[in-house]
Amino acid sequence: MTGHFEPRIVGFLCNWCAYTGADLAGTSRLKYAPNVDIIRVMCSGRVDPTFILKAFQLGADGVLICGCHPGDCHYSGGNYKAARRIAILKKLLKQFGIEPERLRLDWVSASEGERFASVVNEMTAQIRKLGPLMPTNGPEIAKEEAKEFAESATPG
Amino acid sequence: MNRTGVKIGVYVCHCGINIAATVDVEAVRAFAATLNNVAVARHFQFLCSAPGQEMIKKDVRELGLNRVVVASCSPRMHEIAFQGVLADTGLNPYYLDMANIREQCSWITSDTAQATEKAKRLIGGAVARVALQEPLQGRQVPVIPKALVVGGGIAGIQAALSIADAGYHVYLVEREPSIGGRMAQLDRTFPTLDCSACILIPKMVAVERHPNITLLSYSEVVKVSGYVGNFKVRVKKKPRYVEPGACTGCDECARVCPVEVLSEFDMGQGKRRAIYRPFAQAVPSAFVIDKRKSPCKLACPAHVKVQGYIGLIGQGKLKEALDLIREELPFPSVCGRVCLRPCENECERKQVDESLAIAALKRFAADHVSNEGPPVPVRRTKKEKVAIIGSGPTGIAAAYDLVRMGYGVTVFEAAPVAGGMLALGIPDYRLPREVLQKEIDRVRALGVEIKTNTPVGQTLTIPDLFKQGSGAIFIAIGAQQSHRLPIPGSELEGTLAGLSFLRDIKMGKRVKLGQRVLVFGGGNVALDCARSAVRLGAQEVRIACPESRETMPADPSEIKQGEEEGIVIHPSRTLAGLLGYDNRVAGADCLNVLRIMFDEEGHLKLETVPASAHVLPADTVIFATGQAPELGVVSGVQGLTITERNTIAADPDTLATGVPGLFAGGDVVTMAGSVIEAIASGKKAAVSIDRYLQGRDLREGRTEEPVKSADFKVVIPPGTQTAPKQIMPELPLKDRQGNFKEVALGFTREMAVAEAKRCLNCAVCSECHQCEAVCLPKCIHHALKEEEVDLEVGAIAIATGHDFFHAPLLPQYNYGHFPNIIESMEFERLCSATGPTGGKIVLADGRVPRSIAIIHCVGSRDYHANTYCSRVCCMHALKQAYLVKEKTGAQVYELYTDIRASGKGYEEFYERVQREGVLFIHGRGAEVIMQGDQLVVKAEETGLGRPITLPVDLVILSTGMTPRKDSEQVARIFGITCDHHRFFMESHLKLRPFHSNTDGIFLAGTCQAPRDIPDTIAHANASAAEILSLLARGKVAIEPLVAEINPELCSACPACICVCPYQAISLNGKGKRVAEVNEALCKGCGACAASCPSGAITVKHFTDRQVFAQIEGILAGTESRSKP
């Protein structure tokens, strides 16, 4: 194993806002971390939790989902649906032994190229800090989660 | 692993050097060639060029490719073109996938190694995905051959005319009463100096006359559904209250309208009436009434047209004011004195200073109409008779309305005088008996028969009344029984019941009272008893009540006056018992109250302070603690329900009792309410009785939740000055002893007019109906209601225009603080021959300015405001400088950032203005201040590199164009997007600058970005051309990216139905219940697929398998964490 770590991040971007925003970042020649490989979906609400788990399973160190800003969804409310699903999934991730910080949902409008670039940079820095997703850490994280759960479930 | 039969060609584009300079295209190609199923991999300089496309076609034909991956720019750029390449070869276009290695790869990094690796990963994903892509067939749907244009400014007018001229029907929806938009407000246009109206108005008239255009003015789009070619649009038509066809535009109505508000068309500089036409050449030319909601009228239970009579009083039209009050109210004088004034609580004037003295104004109108003879009796037009039991405010209000509807009305009153509590419960010093008598006499004169000394219940019963021919009976006997508290000593000599005490005084009986009077109760009756006791000569008068001082239900002004008269109030007390001496009251045992509570059944419970027992001395105790109806009247009536609280049960919406034809209202139903509530109840009964007798539905239209003033917002007119409320003159304290003379003396004429002028005209139209009276064609209808119309169109052009930057947002310019600092559109109206000054450029004091500074870029190109250039203001400012020179010869300074004069004839116009002697200062206006009485502009002259100060008479702020303030809401209605400035977003700034992001919806004019008139015309015609091409095609292809449900897996759970924003999924009823997708409605968002717990839903072209394959392809080469 070499000392250098390049995070591998899979990005799911909605076609109408975020994907267009990512295109705008490129058209504006903004330089940002090339670590996010983008998969275009029609709506962030299309992002099935299994897509995210599949990406982690196949070797992604992080998963980024970007949709339209709340209220601006092309399909009226798909981004709200994504927000709810991701909130639940984040809770589950710990049980799989994956730090919830490896999953990020953010809003990028079609006109926010700069915002997209900074979201990607932040995400990449975050994953760089967390290091590669090591399955060996899994039991530790899961154990921590179990402990937290036990504490929160204990009647006070 | 290769999939049998799949042969993929991968093509890597150099895009000149856009990709090739950063991505090692050869390395990428070599990598792609190694991927599963790839039959050929090539790179090429410009794949989008004809030779590039030809190369792909040749490979497909010669090598038998059946899948293609193009690695180049964004699919948003060329996906359709490359799908076309596949289609040309006979391959299904959905066998294409694109890897975006330009916008999302080569342009975002300069690291060749990283860019090359990323390109490989993206291509890996695309190759894996494309292998699983399936052939799809696009659908063709017919296009509705009609268009909608939203916005009737020059852009909308132009688009509508172009489409209509081509022979298609156009609906033009305009929010304002007239089309014309911003261009109609301009004086002249640059660079030709054409009169704006002269070139616009012919087009407006053409719209009105065009057989293919339906103009929906004063209307708004509220809902849009459907898709390209097949939109369904709901339009809300606001009522004009004037019939457009019949109005002759004679202007007589506006002349008599008492309401003046600032004219929006003149940018708040001139005034207009509530009934108005925005400008003389408006299209349609019909007048319109600006009718909004008025908090006072809504707060009044009887909905008296408060603003209307106040406006008329302000004009001195007292007779008209009184007539208007009497439309709803038989008791203007009484209510002007004793109403609890819920209207004043809601008065918006409180935002400025204090609420209006509404009741006092009503009293003024009622008291000061002189020479008023008795009213003309109403002609009886209906054969039915109505009997009303009780002549209090409820009964009289019902009688008043019913007699005016043409019924025969008889009121039965048990007491010797008519008026109920008004006659027997309210002391003369608040309501003189002759005031009441006069108003009751008027009701009698209208034709109502009032029989006093005629109790119902014993010799004459309700069944008797029905038998004697009453079609309906209304019980309005009030609640006239006083409670005495059931406490030890309450039957001692010297204890009185409040209402009987007041009644005895009113009936002129001698009332025996001690020297120390204690009244128990916190309401108005308690105050009335206490203040009467003072007048009867008691030495000490106290009030004790369980409520705290702040929560006493009595009118605060009553409490104040009572205290002035010497009454001592002991709040938060309760009586434990009365102390007696020689069988006479000697004092009251009191406890302090800590808290007032209600138990589950709504009964009052008091929590007292422990060990707080104390004695209040008294030789007379008056109980003013609530009242109850005396229900002897209904004895023997079958089918009537009496509630636990000893009231009659009646439907709250209709006041109907369980007995057909028998209604009950007022205090006998609701317990002690206010006078105005009692009147409102009577009015409600009148409506019900009329409907009952005419055999109509009692309930129709009456069950809706009433609008409250909290539900809407009233805008305080800018520039409203504070003005103190007029204080009601009162009888001096010394003159109140030993008599019952009226305390409140009423306003003088001057006070009334001054008070009336404080009204903010919240509702604009005051509903005084003066316009209706003078309208010759009788085309004014105040009762018109809003309507909704549904339209079906194939395409939509949005031309909703712009607003202007609001100068007060930049405080350094002191707009609004000092006079003679105006915005450029205000100058435009000032300059216009149809403007408030008739086109004379004058200062606030009427002088002609000798020097004028025009400050450019106000709110534009400014990090504190809008960063964009508003594009038209330079030329606009140059034109205004020219007009100033032409009309006044004044010195003009243009303080500019850069002069942007790009356009045909613009540079020449700039030179011409320079030759006119206008001085150009290259520097931003920094500040406008007042030195003494001189306006001074401070700026930096960047050419000289030093600050300068310019003393001027007038400052024009060239405020930039901004998006409409509701652009985001409008975008949501149409399903389009806004850019970060909130202008509507175009689909591609260069290539599709008038397409919205939604197919079939196009943008025209300044709603997309600031632009001048010629560019707006071009933009609008471009949208019109696009719409015409769509309508002429007659068919539109719909992408087949829809959801599909596998019935084998579906468990009919309905998760998908809940998440679908288009109601495209439903449960099918045949056989096994499964969910089904209506492909015509599905937009392919995929929310259902992500929510399906059974994995039964796939979205075509974005199936789970395809996405999984893409993830796998992208991540190939990383250490997989899957464990078999």
Side-chain angles (χ1 to χ4, degrees):
Chain A
M1 188 163 167
T2 60
H4 186 72
F5 164 57
E6 272 306 326
R8 297 287 299 273
I9 302 167
V10 174
F12 294 97
L13 270 58
C14 87
N15 181 55
W16 305 97
C17 295
Y19 194 88
T20 316
D23 275 358
L24 181 62
T27 317
S28 317
R29 310 299 201 275
L30 300 174
K31 299 289 178 262
Y32 63 89
N35 301 57
V36 175
D37 298 335
I38 294 169
I39 293 177
R40 180 166 65 131
V41 288
M42 293 312 273
C43 177
S44 55
R46 169 67 183 105
V47 179
D48 193 313
T50 57
F51 294 180
I52 298 162
L53 294 173
K54 189 71 157 182
F56 282 125
Q57 183 195 28
L58 294 179
D61 301 306
V63 174
L64 172 66
I65 295 146
C66 292
C68 310
H69 282 273
D72 289 352
C73 177
H74 183 80
Y75 302 105
S76 92
N79 47 1
Y80 291 116
K81 294 176 187 117
R84 285 189 214 116
R85 276 185 204 126
I86 302 261
I88 296 170
L89 186 61
K90 278 194 168 212
K91 286 194 184 297
L92 290 176
L93 280 185
K94 266 198 165 180
Q95 300 180 19
F96 290 119
I98 298 170
E99 297 93 336
E101 297 79 19
R102 292 185 186 273
L103 173 61
R104 174 167 175 163
L105 170 69
D106 219 317
W107 314 128
V108 174
S109 81
S111 53
E112 292 178 329
E114 283 184 46
R115 182 172 161 77
F116 179 73
S118 65
V119 166
V120 169
N121 281 338
E122 282 168 29
M123 176 84 181
T124 309
Q126 165 91 346
I127 302 298
R128 214 180 279 284
K129 212 168 77 189
L130 287 171
L133 175 55
M134 303 290 279
T136 47
N137 293 343
E140 286 304 309
I141 299 167
K143 219 184 274 171
E144 193 189 312
E145 154 71 19
K147 203 174 138 216
E148 268 175 35
F149 177 76
E151 277 165 11
S152 67
T154 311
Chain B
M1 194 199 327
N2 277 308
R3 277 170 65 86
T4 357
V6 171
K7 286 176 94 176
I8 304 171
V10 178
Y11 299 89
V12 182
C13 185
H14 299 192
C15 195
I17 57 161
N18 280 310
I19 294 170
T22 326
V23 172
D24 180 346
V25 285
E26 171 49 28
V28 172
R29 188 209 61 78
F31 165 81
T34 68
L35 294 172
N36 285 339
N37 299 312
V38 173
V40 64
R42 303 183 197 276
H43 56 75
F44 195 77
Q45 202 173 16
F46 285 108
L47 280 174
C48 57
S49 64
Q53 296 192 13
E54 207 39 58
M55 173 179 76
I56 299 172
K57 286 182 196 168
K58 188 158 165 267
D59 281 354
V60 170
R61 279 189 218 106
E62 292 179 0
L63 304 175
L65 302 181
N66 50 23
R67 303 285 196 281
V68 171
V69 168
V70 173
S72 63
C73 51
S74 171
R76 293 177 53 80
M77 191 86 187
H78 282 326
E79 190 174 42
I80 292 172
F82 286 115
Q83 283 181 336
V85 171
L86 267 64
D88 286 350
T89 64
L91 263 187
N92 186 284
Y94 292 90
Y95 279 140
L96 169 83
D97 198 27
M98 289 184 76
N100 184 343
I101 61 166
R102 192 179 75 172
E103 283 85 346
Q104 296 174 4
C105 182
S106 72
W107 277 349
I108 59 138
T109 179
S110 24
D111 184 324
T112 303
Q114 286 212 357
T116 305
E117 284 313 302
K118 181 165 184 175
K120 287 179 185 172
R121 297 198 298 268
L122 293 174
I123 291 171
V127 167
R129 184 189 207 284
V130 83
L132 297 176
Q133 280 175 204
E134 285 161 10
L136 298 173
Q137 297 305 325
R139 288 175 296 143
Q140 295 255 315
V141 292
V143 171
I144 297 167
K146 292 176 180 180
L148 168 73
V149 176
V150 188
I154 181 61
I157 289 173
Q158 185 62 43
L161 286 173
S162 297
I163 299 167
D165 282 346
Y168 292 95
H169 197 88
V170 180
Y171 298 100
L172 176 57
V173 175
E174 167 58 50
R175 173 149 69 179
E176 299 296 326
S178 169
I179 56 171
R182 294 291 183 192
M183 190 173 167
Q185 290 178 288
L186 299 176
D187 178 31
R188 279 192 258 171
T189 57
F190 61 79
T192 51
L193 294 172
D194 280 309
C195 154
S196 186
C198 308
I199 56 176
L200 174 66
I201 285 158
K203 282 181 178 285
M204 291 164 57
V205 174
V207 165
E208 194 178 32
R209 292 211 180 135
H210 207 297
N212 283 340
I213 297 180
T214 305
L215 174 57
L216 298 161
S217 62
Y218 215 39
S219 301
E220 277 179 74
V221 173
V222 288
K223 198 174 159 205
V224 177
S225 57
Y227 51 92
V228 53
N230 297 274
F231 291 106
K232 287 191 169 55
V233 181
R234 176 158 296 170
V235 178
K236 180 178 83 182
K237 285 178 79 177
K238 295 178 270 187
R240 276 184 105 89
Y241 305 103
V242 178
E243 259 176 77
C247 174
T248 60
C250 67
D251 197 34
E252 289 297 329
C253 50
R255 279 182 214 175
V256 296
C257 177
V259 180
E260 267 194 342
V261 292
L262 298 177
S263 153
E264 296 85 359
F265 187 76
D266 282 339
M267 303 303 289
Q269 296 180 112
K271 296 266 178 90
R272 65 159 172 85
R273 303 296 171 127
I275 186 164
Y276 73 111
R277 183 164 55 183
F279 51 105
Q281 309 91 329
V283 169
S285 64
F287 277 64
V288 57
I289 300 179
D290 186 352
K291 212 182 266 270
R292 303 179 197 178
K293 294 191 178 79
S294 107
C296 44
K297 180 181 154 190
L298 288 171
C300 175
H303 302 308
V304 178
K305 288 159 185 161
V306 176
Q307 189 195 317
Y309 70 77
I310 289 180
L312 290 166
I313 292 171
Q315 286 193 322
K317 295 181 176 172
L318 298 187
K319 176 79 179 85
E320 288 84 347
L322 186 56
D323 286 345
L324 191 64
I325 301 169
R326 282 185 181 145
E327 274 186 18
E328 304 296 337
L329 215 57
F331 293 121
S333 271
V334 170
C335 288
R337 287 168 164 84
V338 301
C339 186
L340 290 183
R341 311 178 301 280
C343 50
E344 292 184 20
N345 284 337
E346 299 297 331
C347 177
E348 291 289 332
R349 179 87 207 183
K350 283 202 284 196
Q351 288 190 46
V352 181
D353 38 42
E354 284 177 274
S355 67
L356 253 80
I358 297 173
L361 285 170
K362 179 160 51 232
R363 170 180 168 174
F364 177 82
D367 287 358
H368 287 77
V369 172
S370 47
N371 308 329
E372 201 191 17
V376 183
V378 184
R379 208 164 61 84
R380 182 159 166 194
T381 54
K382 299 194 172 82
K383 59 180 192 306
E384 294 91 345
K385 282 199 298 184
V386 180
I388 295 174
I389 308 170
S391 70
T394 308
I396 295 291
Y400 181 67
D401 283 0
L402 286 165
V403 80
R404 291 186 299 158
M405 291 174 195
Y407 290 102
V409 184
T410 309
V411 179
F412 297 88
E413 171 57 55
V417 288
M421 287 290 274
L422 298 175
L424 300 172
I426 301 181
D428 274 12
Y429 65 86
R430 282 216 286 147
L431 177 61
R433 58 190 72 193
E434 54 282 4
V435 169
L436 173 66
Q437 195 55 51
K438 212 173 121 190
E439 302 206 314
I440 289 191
D441 287 346
R442 274 191 73 83
V443 175
R444 271 206 172 102
L446 286 174
V448 174
E449 186 187 4
I450 304 178
K451 291 185 172 173
T452 51
N453 291 314
T454 313
V456 175
Q458 287 164 0
T459 50
L460 180 67
T461 63
I462 287 175
D464 292 342
L465 291 174
F466 275 126
K467 266 179 237 148
Q468 288 167 17
S470 294
I473 298 173
F474 180 42
I475 308 173
I477 53 168
Q480 299 207 13
Q481 265 191 332
S482 280
H483 281 305
R484 287 181 189 221
L485 286 189
I487 53 170
S490 65
E491 298 306 324
L492 285 168
E493 203 176 313
T495 58
L496 296 169
L499 288 180
S500 348
F501 170 65
L502 294 174
R503 181 187 170 110
D504 287 349
I505 298 173
K506 285 289 259 195
M507 296 298 289
K509 287 192 191 158
R510 279 183 61 84
V511 185
K512 249 180 79 185
L513 212 56
Q515 289 303 308
R516 289 172 156 186
V517 176
L518 174 68
V519 179
F520 186 67
N524 278 334
V525 173
L527 260 301
D528 286 344
C529 291
R531 295 182 68 191
S532 295
V534 170
R535 284 166 171 73
L536 291 175
Q539 292 301 304
E540 272 180 40
V541 180
R542 299 168 197 277
I543 290 177
C545 61
E547 297 89 358
S548 69
R549 180 63 203 252
E550 293 71 37
T551 55
M552 280 175 71
D555 188 340
S557 69
E558 284 283 303
I559 299 176
K560 186 180 139 278
Q561 290 179 355
E563 287 187 315
E564 283 168 7
E565 290 165 9
I567 293 164
V568 179
I569 294 176
H570 301 274
S572 304
R573 309 293 158 108
T574 183
L575 300 190
L578 299 184
L579 303 171
Y581 177 77
D582 199 9
N583 205 31
R584 232 199 115 74
V585 177
D589 260 334
C590 294
L591 287 166
N592 285 351
V593 174
L594 190 64
R595 212 175 331 180
I596 300 179
M597 292 167 302
F598 293 91
D599 67 10
E600 283 146 20
E601 282 154 19
H603 296 127
L604 182 76
K605 285 268 175 282
L606 300 177
E607 188 186 332
T608 53
V609 179
S612 63
H614 57 281
V615 173
L616 288 177
D619 53 17
T620 305
V621 172
I622 302 174
F623 291 102
T625 49
Q627 53 203 79
E630 207 283 299
L631 290 181
V633 64
V634 294
S635 56
V637 179
Q638 297 294 310
L640 202 63
T641 314
I642 306 298
T643 69
E644 226 177 83
R645 301 165 68 209
N646 204 38
T647 57
I648 296 177
D651 183 301
D653 293 321
T654 64
L655 300 180
T657 66
V659 181
L662 185 59
F663 297 82
D667 285 358
V668 74
V669 170
T670 55
M671 297 294 274
S674 65
V675 173
I676 191 69
E677 282 164 354
I679 292 172
S681 183
K683 295 178 71 64
K684 189 187 269 183
V687 173
S688 293
I689 288 170
D690 176 43
R691 290 187 184 195
Y692 171 78
L693 293 175
Q694 301 307 319
R696 283 183 293 135
D697 183 9
L698 295 187
R699 206 170 281 283
E700 192 196 330
R702 302 172 88 183
T703 49
E704 288 154 28
E705 190 68 16
V707 184
K708 291 189 208 70
S709 60
D711 301 343
F712 58 93
K713 201 174 175 301
V714 169
V715 181
I716 305 294
T720 304
Q721 304 287 322
T722 57
K725 184 176 184 165
Q726 297 291 326
I727 296 172
M728 174 65 80
E730 288 177 359
L731 192 68
L733 268 179
K734 61 177 171 46
D735 297 341
R736 300 184 201 171
Q737 291 299 322
N739 64 56
F740 279 80
K741 281 190 204 156
E742 188 169 22
V743 171
L745 299 177
F747 282 163
T748 63
R749 189 167 295 265
E750 292 68 34
M751 291 168 85
V753 171
E755 186 63 21
K757 296 273 187 211
R758 294 177 67 233
C759 177
L760 296 175
N761 293 317
C762 298
V764 186
C765 171
S766 69
E767 305 194 311
C768 68
H769 302 300
Q770 300 288 298
C771 49
E772 239 178 289
V774 297
C775 179
L776 286 177
K778 297 285 167 231
C779 62
I780 300 175
H781 308 289
H782 281 271
L784 287 181
K785 293 263 182 296
E786 191 173 285
E787 282 175 60
E788 282 187 342
V789 285
D790 288 323
L791 310 175
E792 291 193 347
V793 295
I796 299 174
I798 298 186
T800 48
H802 61 276
D803 281 331
F804 286 97
F805 181 75
H806 191 46
L809 293 175
L810 293 176
Q812 65 267 37
Y813 295 126
N814 277 308
Y815 175 89
H817 286 181
F818 305 129
N820 301 321
I821 303 173
I822 61 175
E823 293 178 343
S824 45
M825 276 310 278
E826 290 173 342
F827 177 81
E828 211 60 48
R829 293 311 302 148
L830 199 60
C831 215
S832 166
T834 58
T837 59
K840 292 197 187 74
I841 301 172
V842 289
L843 300 172
D845 60 7
R847 283 183 299 129
V848 176
R850 281 159 309 163
S851 55
I852 295 178
I854 304 179
I855 300 181
H856 289 221
C857 296
V858 173
S860 310
R861 307 179 69 196
D862 181 346
Y863 279 95
H864 301 292
N866 293 318
T867 50
Y868 57 86
C869 168
S870 165
R871 226 180 131 198
V872 299
C873 333
C874 281
M875 293 306 296
H876 193 191
L878 292 175
K879 178 204 72 182
Q880 293 188 337
Y882 183 90
L883 294 177
V884 170
K885 280 284 176 201
E886 179 188 271
K887 289 197 169 185
T888 68
Q891 181 59 57
V892 184
Y893 304 98
E894 296 257 11
L895 291 92
Y896 68 98
T897 319
D898 299 289
I899 292 285
R900 298 193 161 168
S902 58
K904 190 167 183 177
Y906 291 9
E907 182 66 19
E908 293 84 339
F909 186 74
Y910 176 26
E911 277 183 27
R912 179 174 170 188
V913 173
Q914 289 178 66
R915 281 199 305 275
E916 292 291 331
V918 172
L919 284 179
F920 286 81
I921 296 168
H922 187 205
R924 286 203 150 193
E927 205 180 359
V928 182
I929 55 168
M930 188 70 103
Q931 284 181 352
D933 53 3
Q934 177 68 58
L935 273 182
V936 173
V937 178
K938 292 185 157 188
E940 188 197 356
E941 167 52 274
T942 54
L944 301 172
R946 61 180 171 79
I948 55 162
T949 55
L950 296 169
V952 291
D953 293 335
L954 179 69
V955 176
I956 302 170
L957 303 174
S958 267
T959 47
M961 290 183 180
T962 61
R964 288 282 188 193
K965 59 178 180 297
D966 59 350
S967 66
E968 282 166 320
Q969 284 152 265
V970 173
R972 227 156 273 167
I973 289 171
F974 287 93
I976 60 172
T977 45
C978 288
D979 63 23
H980 66 289
H981 297 298
R982 292 191 303 105
F983 284 110
F984 295 143
M985 181 91 169
E986 63 293 320
S987 165
H988 189 282
L989 189 53
K990 285 241 172 284
L991 300 178
R992 290 160 67 87
F994 47 87
H995 301 69
S996 77
N997 273 326
T998 299
D999 283 349
I1001 301 185
F1002 302 89
L1003 309 173
T1006 55
C1007 62
Q1008 183 250 346
R1011 48 170 51 85
D1012 59 15
I1013 293 167
D1015 283 8
T1016 293
I1017 300 260
H1019 204 238
N1021 268 340
S1023 282
E1026 204 68 32
I1027 287 174
L1028 285 173
S1029 121
L1030 181 65
L1031 300 186
R1033 235 179 294 151
K1035 274 186 180 166
V1036 62
I1038 303 286
E1039 278 215 284
L1041 314 183
V1042 291
E1044 196 176 37
I1045 297 177
N1046 180 343
E1048 298 298 315
L1049 295 177
C1050 175
S1051 64
C1053 70
C1056 51
I1057 296 175
C1058 300
V1059 298
C1060 178
Y1062 305 103
Q1063 288 87 46
I1065 311 180
S1066 55
L1067 280 181
N1068 120 12
K1070 292 163 280 170
K1072 180 196 168 198
R1073 274 171 82 76
V1074 289
E1076 266 182 358
V1077 177
N1078 178 342
E1079 291 197 358
L1081 296 176
C1082 175
K1083 303 276 190 300
C1085 69
C1088 53
S1091 74
C1092 178
S1094 325
I1097 306 183
T1098 49
V1099 183
K1100 290 179 184 169
H1101 211 51
F1102 286 90
T1103 66
D1104 286 1
R1105 288 177 69 216
Q1106 289 163 1
V1107 176
F1108 285 153
Q1110 192 173 3
I1111 297 170
E1112 199 171 347
I1114 281 174
L1115 292 171
T1118 56
E1119 193 188 333
S1120 171
R1121 296 185 184 91
S1122 56
K1123 302 243 161 57

